[in-house]
Amino acid sequence: MEATERAFVFLDGFNVELTILADNRSGLIPETLKKVDPRYYITRFAVHLL
């Protein structure tokens, strides 16, 4: 048998950031998105590891 080496990563947790089109305060919404319900259109999703 061959010896193998593996790296293990342990996380203490994570934070999630979610921005939707309804959060847009500039009022500049592209024409292609004006028919979309702004409450359900995600414009940014980020996961930050702790």
Side-chain angles (χ1 to χ4, degrees), residues 4-33:
T4 59
E5 294 181 21
R6 295 181 184 224
F8 291 94
V9 176
F10 297 95
L11 302 175
D12 287 332
F14 58 91
N15 291 330
V16 175
E17 291 182 22
L18 181 69
T19 305
I20 58 174
L21 190 58
D23 295 332
N24 181 3
R25 303 284 184 236
S26 69
L28 301 173
I29 298 175
E31 286 296 323
T32 55
L33 297 180

